[in-house]
Amino acid sequence: MSKVAVVYWSGTGNTETMANAVAEGAKEAGAEVDVLAANDFNSGKVAEYDGIAFGCPAMGAENLEESEFEPMFTDVEGSLSGKKIALFGSYGWGSGEWMADWEERSKAAGAVLATDSVICQEAPDDDAVENCKKLGAALA
């Protein structure tokens, strides 16, 4: 059985809804899953998991949330080489460029993207929730 962490930050609840769907998909695929807020995760925990799903909405000028998520991700970045990860999040404006930037940053750190990232505008609809479940299953 694989062990998966779903690590996220959510301001409005949209990314939290996505995180719960990711966790559900991973559990349905047979993984043991821990759902953690960004401030409950750090580089020391990376090795405990076979795969990690990171979720964060776009903030400001299409950036990761800066007070909790960005410092956590900066901390774990150096531990992601060879690690299977997946990315998800919501946005309210723009084109979703923050996700493309985040994917490139993760690849540069040596992370292995297990599947296509999932993004949605505003609250996740049924398709986005289903895609989050598939993301979780791919990570498991």
Side-chain angles (χ1 to χ4, degrees), residues 42-125:
N42 60 52
S43 58
K45 295 185 178 184
V46 170
E48 296 174 23
Y49 297 95
D50 300 304
I52 305 168
F54 291 102
C56 186
M59 304 292 284
E62 293 209 53
N63 299 310
L64 297 173
E65 189 278 328
E66 295 175 334
S67 66
E68 293 177 32
F69 195 89
E70 178 64 42
M72 177 278 300
F73 197 77
T74 298
D75 174 56
V76 303
E77 221 167 344
S79 304
L80 295 180
S81 184
K83 183 63 69 174
K84 186 167 72 166
I85 71 165
L87 308 176
F88 64 94
S90 62
Y91 64 103
W93 57 89
S95 62
E97 180 182 333
W98 105 101
M99 185 58 73
D101 293 343
W102 192 13
E103 289 171 344
E104 287 307 311
R105 178 179 173 186
S106 298
K107 289 176 190 173
V112 178
L113 294 176
T115 187
D116 290 340
S117 300
V118 176
I119 63 172
C120 67
Q121 194 162 14
E122 305 297 344
D125 60 12

